[in-house]
Amino acid sequence: MSEAHQNGALRCEFDGQTGVATLTLAMPKVNIINDAFAEGLADGLQWALAQAGLKGIILTSAHRDFCAGADIDKIYRMRDPAAVFEATTQLSRLYRSIELAPVPVVAALNGTALGGGYELALACHRRIAVNDPRLKVGLPEVQLGLLPGGGGTARLPRMIGIQAAAEAILQGQEFRAAKALQAGLIDELVIERDGLLPAAHEWITQHPKPKQPWDQKSFRIPGPQPGSADARNLFMAASAMLRKKTAGVFKAPEAALSAIQEGLSLDFDRALEVEARYFVGLVVGDQSKDMIRTLWFFRQAALKHEGLPTLAAGQHPGITKVAILGAGMMGAGLAYICADAGYEVVLKDVNDDALARGVAHFEAELSKRKRHLDDAGRKQIRARLTPSLELSALAGADLIIEAVFENLELKHRVSQEAEPQLSQTGIWASNTSAIPIGDLAAVSAHADRFIGLHYFSPVEVMPLLEIVRGPDTSDETLARCLDFTRRIGKLPIVVNDGYAFYTTRVFSSYIMEGAQLVAEGHDPVLIEWAARQAGMVVAPLQVFDEVTLTLGLKASSQGRKYLGDAAVDTDAIRLIQTLVEDHQREGKAGGAGFYDYKDGRRTGLWSGLADLVHGEPAQTGVDYLARRLLLVQAVQAVHCLEQGILRNERDGEVGAIFGIGFAPNSGGPFAWLDRQDLRAVVRELDELRERCGVRYTPPAKLREMAENNLKFFPDAP
Amino acid sequence: MPEAMIFDAVRTPRGKGKSSGSLYTVRPVDLLATALRAIRDRNHIDSAEIDDVIAGCVTQTGEQGACIARFAALTAGFDLRTAGVTLNRFCASGLEACNQAAAMVAAGFEDLVIGGGVESMSRVPMGSDGGAIWDPQTQWEVGSVPQGVSADLLATLRGFSRHDVDSFAVESQRKAAAAIERGAFAKSLVPVLDRNGLTMLDHDEFPRADTSVEALAKLKPSFELMGRQFGLDALPKPVYPQVERIEHVHHAGNSSGIVDGAGAILFGSREKGEALGLKPRARIKAVAAIGSEPMLMLDGPIPVTRKILQRAGMQISDIDLFEVNEAFAAVPMAYLQEFNVDPAKLNVNGGAIALGHPLGATGCMLLGTLLDALEEHDKTTGLVTLCIGGGMGVATIIERV
């Protein structure tokens, strides 16, 4: 005999013979946690518990994912602490009622369970998952400036111990099936989807009266006990490691660690309350709002290419064979990701050594990143690569990406030579980081099929791709390149043409300001710390060393042509010149730059810097230096928006955070500006222009916004 | 207003603070009772005359919980009317107890009060009482770092090299050895006996007279692993951003020793002393306490010295002898550097590096040691001060009479 029941979130079935109720999450389109979810789940549970002869409950999903988390739109909008506390408490109580049920409840994870979705699984007595390579479980909330508010900070440590749980939560780790099993996040793996429900039934039969470990008498958390010296030391070390990594910039992991530690010494139900209070604090605060907007909404929109030209229905992108010119780290890396994505790839250079190094890099990446494949699998990817010194190897390429040295004449020569090899509808792309596409396309036979594809190093890891439209680049070319972008798994922003485009412009303003501050006599130790305190992922002198000081000199002499002498005849450039030419300090790769290095690792700032500068700055200190470093970037960002290089604020935020490590905690330069009184900012910029130079001149757009009380994101909550 | 006089000072020897130490088998309450009995017996006092026992004890949990001062007084057979109170101002608790005892007398509220302290670090490990200081939330809202990292930060800020701190440590050992050799501590040391009258410990067993700079150089810095590997060096950065890197120089050989011990000092008014036939040895001229920056934590002796001198209307040059607790070598070294004090006036009988630092008792022991040294060298005025966890300083100035 079976019964059925349905509501807005669940389809429910009861099998009178086995006594098992199966509740299938089946919200319209996707299972996310909101009021409808909570109501439906509560209703479904109530229905199941009312069935006579109930022996167990299985929770599963009708969609590809089990449940990927909370309704971010809803959380984004919430600012009232009381309302958030109430909603969080309700959900927590609902989850609590699951684990206190009189019968076993099994989570049959047919797909991904993240955040609140995984917390639902945690509140079940057993977690069985299918061994699917796409399946992920975990608690990634900190990545959006939140923490697991559905009992994750209370349950996970009690289940797998303090250290493992703290790492998983503070880093927002996502676990694939095998790792999840190993780490204890799931209890059992089945090979096929069909095996899920039978495994759940089996467990229910074997465990008629389960209790969560923490609801059992004489429960001991695995590992160091709360209140013990070991636990104290663990939390002290965790606090320190977090501060070392984040410089205290992110509120979410800190609140999560506090919630974990404080909750462990309390009765379980009250631990949930402590978690809820810390969760509320994050939800209603600015940081999560700004991070959610950029890292969730804008990132999703960019991945979906919202607002960008698309291929017509049924139209093929027409890219099968890709050729990369230049087998340096970037070129070789590009070849790797294209081959991995299924493209036929030619990697070309002009001499044997360079080509051999490029192939070696390709193969090293292959063995590093494809350990989960067998030899045949890796061979298959390698087989897609054709290294060559010959122009003829490029014949019929649908896309040629030129990644040679940053020099207009060289790039012209290369494109004139190789462009004729393109297929009939082939596209020419340059990986230039600064040279205007229009200038590069001057020698092209078809400027409508000429585009900039600016990648970031290391290309295997950095997600951003800055696509630059030349003045003649067609929508179709762009759409085809966006399809290519999606297949190689990159996150695109599309910008219009202009020297240094967007990311290079902002990035170079940052590192040059770092050098400028040294030249002005500020303490380099304070400069680097100020940047980290401001949220910048890497401090300016450190990253300048990494891109090399020689590159900085080359870029600036190139910049002279486009920006004029004044932009380039600066104390910063003179300092860089002195370091490179008089002291042979070229950067990290050369073993010495702003920093000293030993065996490739930074050992400290070079003590000789102080001798190269004269005079004391009138004003200094961590706060002042942080303002200089962020403002100089924000000004460039606004200029790019004003000049139409940036099409919109979304691209500005995404490009800044994912391309150049602009303070992720801020949401991006525009969000950062929105959090301030723009009138005060404009006044500050006017003062800085007086004292430090025209690069601080407030853009007209900013002045106008300040006068009219405008925001970049007027609809922000 | 009556002055607070010191009539007598005693201390037990310091036993090694581990399970092989001679005082490991002695309950902490018995340690303190030993010191209390000595004060009563060698001064032939009826304990009913003693108003209160104020004792410092830091790790007030387990055997050191439940107001050990009161139970030590009862254990020592004191009259029921002698009250007891236990206090915790971390490493300065013993001196704090003395200052509060002196203050009660000087205020005229009480006539005869014992200020003392006890700590059995072998039986009740440091830190085992927990506290908010360990909470992540306290880290975010207040900020703290283990004191070893603070000590290395202090050394880095002050430019003390590994050789500098090791040399200081060797000096402390040398002075302690010389003091022990000539019996400088004989007046104050009272042996710890078992209930059968058998001697358990009658001398300080922690000092290592044969220590050398070469031997110390072989020791690994104790706080480097936690500082570099576990990220604790990152914690002071927001407060000291100008420090690029903390140089780790401290280790067990140049930091205070972990030991067991108890001390007691008898404070009272002149009148009370006369009535009981007690001869005052010194007067309390001034006491002071101050808060200082908690991350660095260990330089509290400097501002509290300024404060106490100012309140007493004195200059640093008025002080004949100093006791600055050797929590870590950098602490008294920073003090010397800051005030330009003649090192010959500091810790003349060695310090905690050689003798050990029984947390709750040390302050009281240092006051007694200072008094003994003033008497031995026929000097008049002394200042004792200690650095304190959480960033504080406590000081006392005494004047022989």
Side-chain angles (χ1 to χ4, degrees):
Chain A
M1 236 297 254
S2 84
E3 300 281 345
H5 175 74
Q6 194 159 308
N7 60 42
L10 261 62
R11 278 200 310 264
C12 314
E13 280 163 352
F14 177 66
D15 183 341
Q17 277 202 300
T18 60
V20 173
T22 304
L23 307 182
T24 305
L25 295 167
M27 296 176 77
K29 280 217 197 114
V30 72
N31 296 323
I32 55 168
I33 298 166
N34 55 20
D35 292 339
F37 169 93
E39 276 162 30
L41 183 58
D43 174 73
L45 284 165
Q46 194 177 48
W47 177 84
L49 289 169
Q51 300 307 311
L54 179 73
K55 293 221 170 65
I57 299 175
I58 299 176
L59 265 174
T60 190
S61 161
H63 296 304
R64 187 192 62 188
D65 291 344
F66 176 77
C67 174
D71 184 344
I72 308 273
D73 288 299
K74 182 162 172 237
I75 291 182
Y76 179 65
R77 295 265 137 226
M78 295 182 89
R79 280 284 198 182
D80 174 26
V84 181
F85 187 62
E86 175 63 23
T88 309
T89 302
Q90 297 274 45
L91 188 73
S92 229
R93 285 212 184 105
L94 177 60
Y95 282 9
R96 186 72 178 129
S97 74
I98 293 173
E99 68 190 3
L100 292 175
V103 296
V105 184
V106 178
L109 302 178
N110 56 296
T112 289
L114 291 172
Y118 177 66
E119 286 172 295
L120 173 58
L122 267 180
C124 298
H125 301 112
R126 182 84 168 168
R127 283 150 296 283
I128 307 177
V130 62
N131 196 0
D132 184 322
R134 285 166 310 173
L135 182 139
K136 287 190 292 192
V137 299
L139 298 169
E141 290 89 334
V142 293
Q143 295 178 17
L144 294 180
L146 301 168
L147 60 76
T153 69
R155 291 190 175 90
L156 195 63
R158 285 172 172 79
M159 212 168 78
I160 66 175
I162 297 171
Q163 186 165 357
E167 272 170 26
I169 291 171
L170 265 52
Q171 295 171 29
Q173 290 171 345
E174 294 179 5
F175 297 76
R176 302 246 172 227
K179 281 254 161 70
L181 182 70
Q182 197 178 48
L185 269 74
I186 57 178
D187 303 307
E188 197 183 322
L189 273 183
V190 297
I191 305 192
E192 294 292 336
R193 179 145 301 143
D194 299 339
L196 260 183
L197 295 185
H201 274 88
E202 174 67 21
W203 197 82
I204 286 170
T205 310
Q206 302 294 337
H207 300 86
K209 292 240 157 281
K211 267 193 156 89
Q212 295 287 46
W214 42 89
D215 286 325
Q216 292 176 27
K217 270 209 184 82
S218 61
F219 162 66
R220 278 173 72 86
I221 182 175
Q225 297 303 298
S228 69
D230 282 342
R232 278 197 293 273
N233 286 324
L234 200 52
F235 279 113
M236 179 62 77
S239 307
M241 289 302 288
L242 188 54
R243 274 291 159 109
K244 182 176 177 175
K245 250 183 59 174
T246 67
V249 156
F250 291 104
K251 299 192 193 307
E254 296 187 357
L257 192 60
S258 295
I260 292 173
Q261 184 258 337
E262 289 173 38
L264 278 173
S265 60
L266 301 176
D267 282 356
F268 190 78
D269 288 277
R270 304 309 297 276
L272 294 174
E273 182 191 317
V274 168
E275 175 190 273
R277 295 188 189 281
Y278 277 115
F279 179 68
V280 169
L282 294 177
V283 170
V284 304
D286 288 346
Q287 194 170 89
S288 72
K289 302 299 179 211
D290 293 333
M291 288 176 72
I292 287 172
R293 187 172 50 251
T294 301
L295 304 178
W296 182 258
F297 296 131
F298 287 172
R299 180 173 172 274
Q300 301 282 46
L303 283 173
K304 292 185 187 140
H305 309 164
E306 270 175 32
L308 290 168
T310 50
L311 297 169
Q315 183 189 2
H316 278 280
I319 301 179
T320 314
K321 175 173 170 176
V322 179
I324 318 282
L325 304 186
M329 258 185 50
M330 175 63 82
L334 272 174
Y336 168 74
I337 62 177
C338 289
D340 188 28
Y343 291 101
E344 215 187 296
V345 190
V346 172
L347 180 63
K348 182 188 178 300
D349 209 306
V350 295
N351 73 62
D352 281 306
D353 286 338
L355 192 59
R357 275 197 301 273
V359 173
H361 178 92
F362 180 106
E363 286 170 352
E365 289 300 309
L366 184 56
S367 64
K368 185 165 80 177
R369 293 178 195 284
K370 296 294 169 187
R371 271 194 281 255
H372 57 282
L373 296 182
D374 59 10
D375 267 345
R378 282 189 290 274
K379 273 208 177 79
Q380 192 182 37
I381 297 176
R382 176 60 179 86
R384 295 184 191 127
L385 174 75
T386 306
S388 176
L389 298 170
E390 303 302 322
L391 201 55
S392 54
L394 306 176
D398 304 302
L399 172 65
I400 296 180
I401 306 179
E402 164 274 296
V404 307
F405 285 129
E406 194 76 349
N407 176 281
L408 179 63
E409 286 71 37
L410 173 62
K411 286 182 187 293
H412 273 169
R413 236 191 4 259
V414 164
S415 58
Q416 278 173 305
E417 189 184 57
E419 204 188 47
Q421 299 296 323
L422 278 173
S423 65
Q424 269 243 317
T425 54
I427 297 170
W428 184 273
S430 174
N431 181 49
T432 180
S433 58
I435 304 172
I437 301 301
D439 289 5
L440 289 174
V443 301
S444 172
H446 36 76
D448 61 317
R449 283 183 280 120
F450 199 108
I451 196 167
L453 293 181
H454 177 210
Y455 292 91
F456 295 80
S457 211
V459 70
E460 298 86 344
V461 168
M462 298 298 279
L464 191 76
L465 168 56
E466 183 179 31
I467 300 178
V468 189
R469 293 190 81 138
D472 298 314
T473 310
S474 71
D475 276 357
E476 184 175 324
T477 298
L478 179 55
R480 294 169 65 199
C481 286
L482 283 166
D483 180 85
F484 170 70
T485 304
R486 187 180 42 80
R487 299 239 240 128
I488 61 171
K490 292 300 183 198
L491 171 65
I493 63 170
V494 177
V495 304
N496 294 313
D497 208 8
Y499 179 71
F501 320 128
Y502 171 62
T503 60
T504 301
R505 194 160 160 179
V506 177
F507 178 68
S508 52
S509 77
Y510 172 58
I511 61 175
M512 279 302 170
E513 197 62 23
Q516 178 66 24
L517 289 169
V518 176
E520 286 177 22
H522 296 274
D523 180 356
V525 175
L526 290 187
I527 295 170
E528 298 288 86
W529 176 249
R532 291 207 60 220
Q533 276 282 266
M536 295 302 294
V537 174
V538 192
L541 305 178
Q542 179 184 336
V543 75
F544 211 149
D545 270 3
E546 280 169 22
V547 303
T548 78
L549 307 193
T550 26
L551 184 70
L553 283 183
K554 279 203 197 110
S556 69
S557 68
Q558 182 186 80
R560 187 184 293 280
K561 189 170 112 189
Y562 292 96
L563 304 171
D565 292 335
V568 174
D569 288 334
T570 61
D571 295 326
I573 295 291
R574 277 187 281 277
L575 175 67
I576 307 285
Q577 245 163 355
T578 305
L579 285 169
V580 172
E581 289 162 18
D582 299 343
H583 299 275
Q584 290 73 50
R585 301 187 72 92
E586 299 183 347
K588 181 176 177 183
F594 282 104
Y595 284 84
D596 288 327
Y597 295 84
K598 187 167 172 203
D599 302 326
R601 308 193 62 160
R602 265 176 307 131
T603 56
L605 284 159
W606 183 43
S607 53
L609 283 174
D611 300 324
L612 299 182
V613 305
H614 312 285
E616 294 263 316
Q619 190 182 355
T620 192
V622 172
D623 292 339
Y624 172 76
L625 296 168
R627 289 301 290 173
R628 292 269 304 258
L629 288 167
L630 290 185
L631 279 171
V632 80
Q633 296 181 78
V635 163
Q636 289 305 316
V638 176
H639 276 310
C640 285
L641 191 64
E642 189 178 53
Q643 292 162 12
I645 291 173
L646 278 176
R647 299 171 314 118
N648 53 42
E649 286 86 346
R650 172 185 108 201
D651 283 348
E653 308 288 67
V654 169
I657 290 187
F658 291 99
I660 60 182
F662 187 89
N665 52 296
S666 73
F670 299 117
W672 182 71
L673 284 168
D674 263 4
R675 290 282 168 219
Q676 301 171 65
D677 172 2
L678 281 189
R679 277 175 221 259
V681 172
V682 168
R683 271 197 307 273
E684 189 180 359
L685 286 172
D686 281 330
E687 272 170 39
L688 285 172
R689 189 210 32 228
E690 281 299 309
R691 285 186 294 128
C692 304
V694 297
R695 64 194 180 285
Y696 283 105
T697 311
K701 181 179 175 69
L702 203 63
R703 212 184 276 285
E704 188 209 314
M705 287 176 69
E707 269 158 42
N708 296 302
N709 270 323
L710 297 176
K711 295 269 173 210
F712 290 101
F713 304 113
D715 296 327
Chain B
M1 217 174 73
E3 281 184 310
M5 312 304 287
I6 295 179
F7 293 108
D8 198 12
V10 302
R11 62 177 180 86
T12 69
R14 284 168 261 207
K16 290 192 190 146
K18 39 192 181 174
S19 59
S20 58
S22 299
L23 298 181
Y24 172 65
T25 54
V26 181
R27 295 183 306 145
V29 71
D30 285 327
L31 268 184
L32 182 54
T34 300
L36 297 179
R37 268 188 221 107
I39 290 281
R40 177 196 62 202
D41 295 343
R42 63 193 230 165
N43 292 290
H44 312 290
I45 309 171
D46 176 359
S47 60
E49 300 286 355
I50 301 174
D51 290 296
D52 202 357
V53 172
I54 305 178
C57 181
V58 174
T59 315
Q60 293 184 30
T61 185
E63 294 185 316
Q64 288 178 168
C67 195
I68 194 174
R70 172 58 172 160
F71 280 86
L74 292 171
T75 300
F78 273 37
D79 191 283
L80 299 181
R81 282 167 288 180
T82 307
V85 64
T86 317
L87 63 83
N88 174 12
R89 205 200 279 273
F90 289 130
C91 302
S93 297
L95 188 63
E96 178 66 27
C98 290
N99 287 355
Q100 290 193 17
M104 287 303 271
V105 171
F109 292 135
E110 282 172 353
D111 301 323
L112 201 62
V113 183
I114 291 178
V118 61
E119 200 83 37
S120 174
M121 300 179 78
S122 64
R123 290 171 77 122
V124 187
M126 183 171 59
S128 57
D129 57 328
I133 194 172
W134 296 93
D135 297 348
Q137 196 58 24
T138 298
Q139 188 62 253
W140 319 139
E141 290 174 344
V142 178
S144 77
V145 77
Q147 51 186 329
V149 175
S150 301
D152 290 336
L153 173 63
L154 180 61
T156 302
L157 285 169
R158 293 258 170 188
F160 302 145
S161 69
R162 173 65 186 263
H163 186 265
D164 293 338
V165 292
D166 284 351
S167 302
F168 185 92
V170 170
E171 254 308 276
S172 181
Q173 293 281 4
R174 190 194 60 75
K175 287 186 285 186
I180 291 167
E181 173 82 24
R182 70 176 184 277
F185 299 141
K187 196 183 214 170
S188 302
L189 267 186
V190 296
V192 178
L193 312 176
D194 75 1
R195 287 187 173 74
N196 303 309
L198 301 175
T199 300
M200 299 182 73
L201 187 65
D202 62 3
H203 64 282
D204 293 306
E205 66 179 6
F206 191 78
R208 306 263 297 260
D210 56 353
T211 303
S212 68
V213 172
E214 294 71 39
L216 290 182
K218 296 202 183 97
L219 297 176
K220 279 215 304 243
S222 303
F223 311 107
E224 189 161 56
L225 182 70
M226 71 164 68
R228 301 228 197 284
Q229 226 90 303
F230 291 106
L232 276 84
D233 280 357
L235 295 173
K237 185 76 168 170
V239 188
Y240 299 94
Q242 74 278 19
V243 175
E244 187 179 7
R245 194 184 143 96
I246 296 178
E247 296 305 329
H248 292 284
V249 298
H250 287 98
H251 49 73
N254 58 25
S255 307
S256 54
I258 294 181
V259 293
D260 304 335
I265 295 184
L266 184 62
F267 297 89
S269 63
R270 253 194 218 279
E271 289 73 21
K272 190 67 177 180
E274 272 160 26
L276 296 177
L278 300 170
K279 189 162 172 303
R281 292 166 65 186
R283 70 159 62 84
I284 304 297
K285 187 116 194 233
V287 308
I290 205 167
S292 68
E293 198 282 300
M295 274 291 187
L296 184 60
M297 197 194 306
L298 302 173
D299 68 348
I302 291 171
V304 79
T305 293
R306 292 206 168 95
K307 181 175 180 181
I308 200 175
L309 289 173
Q310 201 233 358
R311 286 196 74 92
M314 295 167 75
Q315 318 278 2
I316 196 106
S317 51
D318 295 330
I319 309 294
D320 298 317
L321 291 178
F322 297 82
E323 282 288 327
V324 179
N325 191 33
E326 296 172 1
F328 301 89
V331 173
M333 289 171 69
Y335 193 87
L336 289 173
Q337 190 186 68
E338 181 75 14
F339 291 118
N340 211 20
V341 162
D342 179 2
K345 295 184 179 177
L346 178 100
N347 301 353
V348 297
N349 289 337
I353 288 172
L355 295 161
H357 170 27
L359 303 179
T362 305
C364 168
M365 292 185 173
L366 292 187
L367 184 54
T369 301
L370 179 69
L371 179 55
D372 288 343
L374 287 171
E375 288 172 352
E376 182 185 355
H377 300 284
D378 197 18
K379 298 283 181 198
T380 312
T381 311
L383 184 152
V384 54
T385 180
L386 301 95
C387 57
I388 305 172
M392 289 186 276
V394 167
T396 309
I397 294 179
I398 60 173
E399 207 173 61
R400 273 181 64 217
V401 296

